[in-house]
């Protein structure tokens, strides 16, 4: 306990240098700005910021990325409340009660409650991350290849069962990601695979190029082809920004409940932030002493979901920092930013680079405070971003994306891949496919392949030996059970639908 607190204080001292504080402020601002813009969110913010971080010291770049990670979460609530347009997927639930409050002239109170809830639950989640991630990292030092194979496989199975509306579509995206991950040299034999004779592909597909293409260029193409609804912005006065005593009294319990609920849900692979908001909304509606207000501006319906998504945000960094395994698209992009600067999250990060590890943790506490300080007075400024013409925004975003992609390897071939993956991302988005399983499948594919091959070598080719290992076996059995349950549920729903149709 004392060593953890001491290490955290050391990380805070590192973050409080002028350069690192400036990076944190810039990260929070950029995150909030992109969170406000519909469709961008965390993934879009990180995809656009990756090239801007070149040349920065690793610690400074990590602190800026973490500021973006937290800032984008709060930004989506602004347009949800003022314009009834969610700037981020996890802010969809906030529209229900937040916009109704705005129509009653309580937009300022709703925005303040969202900011305070984000601060409280985000801090609760970061405290959980502070104590849980180091313990998991120490335990992960005992992991062998079978354990990494098992945890990555279980993560993918859970991902395509809770991501999106169709498990089959999510599974298809995972498989495509795994297939793309096999391009290049075989990790065990060194044989070139699926390169079609192109030397540039022998090292595999650059993960950063793929993510920037799918999310950056794909979003640009989608913005060109889709008309974004502007909505009518609700006005509010600065003196009305703070909730009254009754609103604050009703908001505080949902904030703390959502902090715990969001953190627990955030530990599950998949879109934990979005799931946590729906779960918190349902919980608060069930516990509410004012059921008649729900759907007409219940303050608990803003406080709970906004708090839950920030706690889940912190929880999803636990497997990223302690195991080096991202289980959502924003975590994968954050990991890409780490990789650009030669930082490899995982169990060895805490032992080999403890100063950097604790600086990252400390930056999340600072980012939470900055969110509260910056966002309350600048709410109107952030919301007015929706009035910027798309013809001004898109060229800037395009230049930044292409410049960053070229700077990675100074390769025109990478620009070709960027355009290709941008077109693929656009097509998949139009077809209502979720891109996150593809990205996670690509990243976890090499871990699964290497873990399986090395595990089979250790066990002399006997897969049952892997099932006999306590941790790996347990996770694999859970994965098999989830698959069987999903198949059984699909068969039951098919039979029930047929019987209904016949009736």
């Amino acid at each position: 306990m004392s060593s953890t607190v001491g290490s955290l204080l050391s990380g805070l001292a590192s973050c409080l240098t002028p350069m690192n504080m400036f990076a944190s402020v810039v990260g929070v601002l950029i995150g909030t700005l992109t969170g406000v813009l519909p469709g961008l969110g965390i993934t879009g913010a990180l995809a656009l910021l990756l090239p801007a971080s070149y040349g920065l010291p690793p610690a400074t770049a990590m602190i800026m990325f973490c500021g973006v990670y937290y800032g984008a979460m709060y930004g989506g609530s602004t347009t949800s409340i003022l314009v009834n347009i969610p700037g981020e997927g996890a802010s969809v639930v906030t529209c229900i009660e937040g916009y109704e409050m705005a129509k009653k002239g309580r937009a300022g109170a709703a925005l303040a409650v969202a900011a305070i809830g984000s601060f409280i639950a985000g801090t609760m989640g970061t405290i959980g991350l502070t104590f849980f991630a180091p313990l998991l990292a120490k335990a992960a030092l005992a992991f062998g290849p079978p354990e990494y194979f098992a945890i990555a496989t279980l993560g993918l199975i859970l991902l395509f069962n809770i991501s999106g509306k169709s498990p089959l579509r999510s599974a298809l995206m995972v498989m495509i990601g795994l297939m793309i991950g096999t391009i290049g040299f075989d990790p065990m034999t060194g044989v070139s695979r699926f390169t079609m004779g192109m030397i540039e592909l022998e090292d595999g597909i650059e993960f950063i190029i793929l993510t920037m293409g799918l999310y950056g260029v794909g979003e640009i193409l989608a913005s060109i082809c889709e008309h974004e609804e502007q909505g009518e912005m609700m006005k509010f006065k600065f003196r009305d920004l703070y909730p009254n005593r009754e609103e604050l009294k009703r908001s505080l319990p949902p904030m703390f409940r959502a902090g715990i609920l969001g953190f627990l849900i955030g530990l599950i692979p998949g879109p934990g932030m979005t799931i946590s908001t729906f779960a918190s909304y349902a919980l608060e509606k069930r516990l509410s002493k004012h059921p008649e207000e729900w759907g007409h501006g219940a303050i608990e319906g803003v406080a709970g979901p906004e708090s839950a998504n920030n706690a889940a945000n912190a929880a999803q960094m636990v497997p990223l920092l302690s195991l080096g395994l991202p289980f959502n698209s924003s975590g994968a992009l954050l990991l890409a930013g780490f990789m650009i600067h030669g930082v490899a999250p995982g169990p060895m990060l805490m032992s080999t680079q403890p100063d950097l590890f604790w600086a990252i943790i400390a930056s999340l506490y600072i980012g939470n405070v900055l969110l509260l300080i910056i966002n309350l007075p600048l709410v109107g400024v952030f919301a007015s971003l929706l009035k910027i013409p798309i013809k001004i925004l898109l060229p800037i975003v395009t230049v930044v994306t292409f410049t960053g992609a070229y700077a990675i390897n100074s390769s025109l071939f990478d620009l070709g891949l960027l355009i290709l993956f941008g077109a693929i991302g656009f097509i998949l988005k139009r077809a209502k496919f979720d891109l996150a399983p593809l990205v996670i499948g690509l990243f976890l594919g090499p871990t699964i392949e290497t873990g399986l091959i090395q595990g089979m070598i250790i066990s002399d080719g006997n897969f049952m030996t892997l099932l006999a290992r306590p941790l790996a076996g347990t996770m694999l059995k859970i994965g098999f059970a989830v698959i069987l349950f999903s198949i059984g549920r699909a068969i039951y729903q098919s039979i029930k639908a047929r019987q209904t149709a016949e009736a």
Side-chain angles (χ1 to χ4, degrees):
M1 177 73 175
S2 58
S3 62
T4 299
V5 174
S7 299
L8 180 61
L9 291 176
S10 175
L12 284 171
S14 175
C15 289
L16 291 175
T17 61
M19 185 174 183
N20 289 344
M21 276 299 297
F22 178 73
S24 186
V25 172
V26 169
V28 167
L29 281 172
I30 292 176
T32 305
L33 292 174
T34 50
V36 167
L37 296 173
L40 283 179
I42 296 178
T43 52
L46 289 172
L48 297 177
L49 193 63
L50 291 179
S53 69
Y54 295 140
L56 292 177
T60 304
M62 300 307 101
I63 289 169
M64 183 166 63
F65 289 143
C66 290
V68 172
Y69 191 73
Y70 262 24
M73 265 290 92
Y74 175 75
S77 65
T78 302
T79 46
S80 295
I81 293 168
L82 294 181
V83 197
N84 201 27
I85 299 174
E88 217 281 329
S91 300
V92 172
V93 179
T94 309
C95 292
I96 301 173
E97 305 298 335
Y99 190 65
E100 290 298 321
M101 287 187 65
K103 289 197 292 187
K104 293 180 179 179
R106 299 303 296 159
L111 290 165
V113 164
I116 295 169
S118 297
F119 171 75
I120 291 175
T123 302
M124 290 173 65
T126 307
I127 291 172
L129 170 65
T130 302
F131 292 96
F132 192 65
L135 293 175
L136 185 57
K138 290 178 181 178
L141 291 174
F143 282 18
E147 281 71 30
Y148 274 100
F149 162 72
I151 194 171
T153 302
L154 177 60
L156 288 183
I157 292 172
L158 291 175
L159 182 65
F160 66 67
N161 272 278
I162 62 177
S163 175
K165 296 181 180 178
S166 170
L168 190 60
R169 284 188 166 210
S170 297
L172 178 61
M173 289 292 98
V174 167
M175 295 306 296
I176 292 175
L178 293 174
M179 291 166 64
I180 295 175
T182 62
I183 296 174
F185 287 116
D186 184 291
M188 299 301 294
T189 64
V191 175
S192 182
R193 306 179 300 185
F194 312 119
T195 61
M196 297 173 286
M198 300 180 188
I199 298 176
E200 295 87 351
L201 290 177
E202 289 186 347
D203 288 331
I205 299 292
E206 187 79 47
F207 177 73
I208 300 166
I209 296 294
L210 180 134
T211 52
M212 289 179 69
L214 289 178
Y215 288 101
V217 178
E219 192 60 45
I220 291 169
L221 294 174
S223 299
I224 293 172
C225 298
E226 296 176 5
H227 173 70
E228 292 289 353
E229 181 186 355
Q230 293 296 315
E232 180 183 354
M233 188 179 300
M234 291 293 170
K235 305 295 183 181
F236 65 94
K237 297 178 181 179
F238 186 78
R239 64 173 179 267
D240 297 328
L241 188 60
Y242 302 102
N244 56 42
R245 182 175 297 180
E246 175 64 21
E247 288 171 331
L248 196 59
K249 180 181 177 181
R250 289 173 53 181
S251 299
L252 286 175
M255 290 176 188
F256 287 98
R257 282 194 293 264
I260 298 172
L261 179 67
F263 186 81
L264 295 176
I265 293 177
L267 294 173
I268 302 171
M273 290 174 285
T274 303
I275 293 173
S276 68
T277 59
F278 283 97
S280 175
Y281 185 85
L283 176 65
E284 296 308 324
K285 189 174 183 179
R286 181 179 294 270
L287 297 177
S288 177
K289 297 179 180 178
H290 306 275
E292 72 284 353
E293 292 187 16
W294 287 84
H296 304 284
I299 190 74
E300 298 92 338
V302 175
E306 278 301 308
S307 302
N309 71 39
N310 279 269
N313 206 24
Q316 296 202 334
M317 289 195 72
V318 172
L320 176 65
L321 290 178
S322 57
L323 301 176
L325 299 176
F327 287 132
N328 62 8
S329 56
S330 54
L333 280 160
L334 189 61
L335 182 64
F338 289 1
M339 291 163 58
I340 284 178
H341 294 275
V343 178
M348 297 304 295
L349 177 63
M350 187 178 171
S351 57
T352 58
Q353 296 176 284
D355 294 340
L356 180 59
F357 177 86
W358 288 107
I360 292 171
I361 299 291
S363 71
L364 298 178
Y365 287 98
I366 293 174
N368 261 320
V369 176
L370 289 175
L371 273 173
L372 199 61
I373 295 173
I374 292 173
N375 278 285
L376 287 180
L378 296 180
V379 160
V381 176
F382 292 141
S384 65
L385 284 174
L386 289 172
K387 298 180 180 179
I388 299 177
I390 198 77
K391 62 183 180 182
I392 295 176
L393 276 178
L394 283 186
I396 297 173
V397 172
T398 304
V399 169
V400 171
T401 303
F402 276 73
T403 302
Y406 180 77
I408 294 173
N409 296 315
S410 300
S411 169
L412 290 175
F413 185 82
D414 284 350
L415 291 183
L417 288 178
L418 182 76
I419 296 171
L420 173 64
F421 288 124
I424 292 173
F426 168 69
I427 293 170
L428 292 175
K429 183 172 181 178
R430 298 283 287 187
K432 307 299 182 184
F433 280 91
D434 188 4
L435 298 178
L438 190 155
V439 174
I440 306 302
L442 170 65
F443 183 82
L444 294 183
T447 301
I448 292 174
E449 182 182 13
T450 303
L452 177 60
I453 293 173
Q454 292 179 350
M456 295 302 287
I457 292 173
I458 293 172
S459 62
D460 292 327
N462 186 357
F463 188 80
M464 298 307 294
T465 304
L466 300 185
L467 293 175
R469 294 172 71 100
L471 185 58
T474 300
M475 288 188 287
L476 289 174
K477 289 169 185 174
I478 292 173
F480 291 146
V482 170
I483 292 174
L484 292 175
F485 173 77
S486 300
I487 294 173
R489 183 180 60 182
I491 293 173
Y492 171 76
Q493 290 175 346
S494 176
I495 293 173
K496 189 175 180 180
R498 185 179 302 172
Q499 290 174 345
T500 303
E502 291 174 353

